[in-house]
Amino acid sequence: MNLASMDVDAPLSMTLNLSDLAHKEHILELLPAVEPLENRVRYLISHGNEDGYFRIHQKEGLSYLHLGRKKIVPGTYLLEIVSVPLYRKRELQKLEAKNHLNYLAGELGQALRMKLQLQLY
């Protein structure tokens, strides 16, 4: 699903069978929409993971949500996932100096904040 066509204020609802989910199976993959932001954004679970059932890993610019090591029970889980920029002000200035002046302008202030409702059975 492309997030450009999704209402991020409403939770994205997914129903998954726990027996089909391997430990490192990707439940959700996250990739910045703007290529220059790859490896410059990190995704975090900001709410709903107090018991540590889920984890987000990042590898080669792709972030993915998967089950953690803790044993999870069937039920409904509501998570909030946010993006956090990894750039520093000086690094951003170098990027803008190398490219045109408005490089990434407006893109950096738009942080992802999405709700995910997982129904696990």
Side-chain angles (χ1 to χ4, degrees):
M1 173 179 281
N2 184 335
L3 288 181
S5 64
M6 187 183 120
D7 178 8
V8 291
D9 291 328
L12 172 61
S13 194
M14 298 174 74
T15 302
L16 303 167
N17 187 336
L18 276 172
S19 62
D20 292 340
L21 281 179
H23 176 66
K24 291 285 185 169
E25 181 96 18
H26 296 194
I27 296 171
L28 182 70
E29 294 181 350
L30 300 159
L31 185 66
V34 181
E35 185 178 330
L37 289 179
E38 286 181 24
N39 295 312
R40 299 190 187 286
V41 174
R42 182 167 200 87
Y43 297 95
L44 305 170
I45 303 169
S46 61
H47 294 299
N49 195 35
E50 292 76 19
D51 294 325
Y53 291 131
F54 303 94
R55 298 187 69 168
I56 293 182
H57 278 131
Q58 192 166 356
K59 187 175 182 180
E60 298 174 8
L62 177 68
S63 296
Y64 54 92
L65 174 72
H66 64 90
L67 293 177
R69 296 197 181 276
K70 209 170 188 184
K71 179 79 173 155
I72 192 167
V73 295
T76 301
Y77 298 88
L78 185 60
L79 305 175
E80 183 177 82
I81 298 174
V82 297
S83 64
V84 178
L86 295 178
Y87 62 87
R88 294 190 174 127
K89 190 173 183 175
R90 184 173 288 160
E91 185 178 336
L92 177 60
Q93 289 170 345
K94 286 180 186 177
L95 282 173
E96 288 180 340
K98 268 202 239 178
N99 299 284
H100 58 82
L101 184 58
N102 291 327
Y103 184 71
L104 297 178
E107 300 299 333
L108 298 174
Q110 300 285 332
L112 172 70
R113 182 174 300 276
M114 70 174 286
K115 294 178 184 126
L116 179 63
Q117 180 180 325
L118 295 172
Q119 176 69 43
L120 304 178
Y121 64 96

